[in-house]
Amino acid sequence: MPASPSSLIASLSPLPAGLDPAELGPAEVAVDLPAALADMPDPRARRGIRHRLPVVVTAAVCAVVAGYRSYTAIGEWVADLPADTATLVGIDPDRRPSETMIRRLLQAIDPDLLAATIGKWLAARIPPPAPESRQAIALDGKTMRGSRTRDRPARHVLAAADQATGVVLASTDVDANTNEITRFDTVLDQISDLRGVVVTADALHCQRDHVTYLAERGAHWILTVKGNQPTLHQQMAGLLWRQTPEADRTDDRGHGRREIRTLKILSVAAGIEFPQAAQAIQIRRRRRLLDEPRRFATETVYAITDLHAHEAKPWQLADWIRGHWSIENKTHWVRDVTYDEDRSQIRTGTGPQVMATLRNTAIGALRLAGVTNIAAAARHHARNANRPLALLGIT
């Protein structure tokens, strides 16, 4: 069972230890979500605005926390709010925003700016990494299949998430005429400070321009190497791995299978033509089903990093490489299974990206409250309209 409402307030309201409020912007130190959204520009004409953007967006996030998936459902959640709860959100109980008004606003909001604003608010609540460790941020894209129309392919969003918590810190739309490579800088520009952070990304982002950008931002990186960089991949495969001892080994059992992972590391002195690369990494994964003890499937993957041996221990590299998939397991999978995103019929304007951000916000806030079962937490918050408010710091 998810944490009680009182514990949610306690877990989200204070800033984590080690953060100086004087060094943070308004959205980062804001106790509640409406305050964080206060400076968001409203795309509507100023004349005749009855419901302020922070109020409408906050109400939409509250509805999503409670498991609501569509504009119609969000409108129904607002319409059903008890009068005192509506007042807490900032809604006049006698003049509530309609589903039409909510839909039109969410279809017009700048999705990148919304993601950056909420990302800063959530980031300020992430506990700092343990001593002698680093924050790791994973980059991964997701296609929202239900957003496909007759004339337009499905929308694709590139997101950056904190590995430890699964909280999405930034996201950006990937236009149909381009790909994730061109949006790498754009999504990371939404994160104000990358100094000392380890950025992990799949083979698509193993690009020289990307590591140059990360070096300028003071970030470190671990990048997978595959066939899209054939020369580099060939160089990696040709290193003296047979003579290299294992630096880390894990043996896990779960979900009906056993997986043995080994990590080998070589310092890059010569022979690898990639800028700023300090170490080459070989990861071998051997998997088998528990009811088939003699049938192992083996996969070998290579990666490179700018981290030197004295900057990261082998087990840390192994954790960051494996933790890269936290964004898939903790966020993207939940959006598909719990929120049924791939069958969402939201397609107009910036609606698909904005709704993805609202789902990320709900999932992130719940993760920071210690929730592991998002579906159960959504049901828990649906039973009492005040619970989503407490989660977002509104009291």
Side-chain angles (χ1 to χ4, degrees), residues 322-337:
R322 190 170 191 178
H324 174 73
W325 301 110
S326 62
I327 186 173
E328 177 68 34
N329 299 331
K330 295 180 179 179
T331 303
H332 293 170
W333 185 85
V334 175
R335 280 164 47 186
D336 279 339
V337 175

Side-chain angles (χ1 to χ4, degrees), residues 83-209:
D84 57 344
T85 305
T87 301
L88 274 177
V89 179
I91 296 173
D92 182 346
D94 298 322
R95 301 185 68 178
R96 304 175 186 234
S98 66
E99 181 273 339
T100 300
M101 183 262 128
I102 295 170
R103 168 168 45 83
R104 288 176 177 172
L105 177 58
L106 295 183
Q107 288 174 347
I109 291 176
D110 182 331
D112 285 9
L113 185 56
L114 179 66
T117 301
I118 295 178
K120 289 178 182 178
W121 180 72
L122 289 170
R125 282 146 181 82
I126 295 176
E132 300 184 4
S133 186
R134 301 175 185 271
Q135 182 185 23
I137 294 177
L139 261 68
D140 192 37
K142 182 181 185 302
T143 300
M144 295 174 285
R145 304 185 189 283
S147 63
R148 182 183 293 109
T149 66
R150 180 178 300 177
D151 304 319
R152 179 170 180 165
R155 309 289 180 89
H156 187 85
V157 174
L158 177 63
D162 176 68
Q163 279 196 13
T165 61
V167 171
V168 174
L169 305 174
S171 65
T172 188
D173 179 49
V174 179
D175 187 84
N177 297 320
T178 183
N179 58 35
E180 288 184 17
I181 295 174
T182 64
R183 306 299 287 170
F184 183 88
D185 296 11
T186 303
V187 70
L188 288 177
D189 281 343
Q190 296 178 22
I191 302 174
S192 59
D193 189 0
L194 287 176
R195 289 173 296 178
V197 171
V198 178
V199 175
T200 62
D202 60 25
L204 182 65
H205 296 288
C206 188
Q207 306 289 332
R208 287 163 174 77
D209 289 346

Side-chain angles (χ1 to χ4, degrees), residues 339-353:
Y339 289 106
D340 205 15
E341 184 174 81
D342 275 351
R343 291 199 297 174
S344 172
Q345 298 298 299
I346 294 174
R347 297 166 177 165
T348 304
T350 62
Q353 301 99 295

Side-chain angles (χ1 to χ4, degrees), residues 184 188 194 199 209-221:
F184 183 88
L188 288 177
L194 287 176
V199 175
D209 289 346
H210 290 357
V211 300
T212 300
Y213 168 85
L214 292 173
E216 292 172 351
R217 295 288 309 274
H220 296 285
W221 46 267

Side-chain angles (χ1 to χ4, degrees), residues 70-88:
S70 65
Y71 297 138
T72 300
I74 293 171
E76 291 171 350
W77 186 87
V78 171
D80 292 340
L81 281 178
D84 57 344
T85 305
T87 301
L88 274 177

Side-chain angles (χ1 to χ4, degrees), residues 345-365:
Q345 298 298 299
I346 294 174
R347 297 166 177 165
T348 304
T350 62
Q353 301 99 295
V354 168
M355 283 300 298
T357 296
L358 299 185
R359 296 179 190 116
N360 288 338
T361 305
I363 295 167

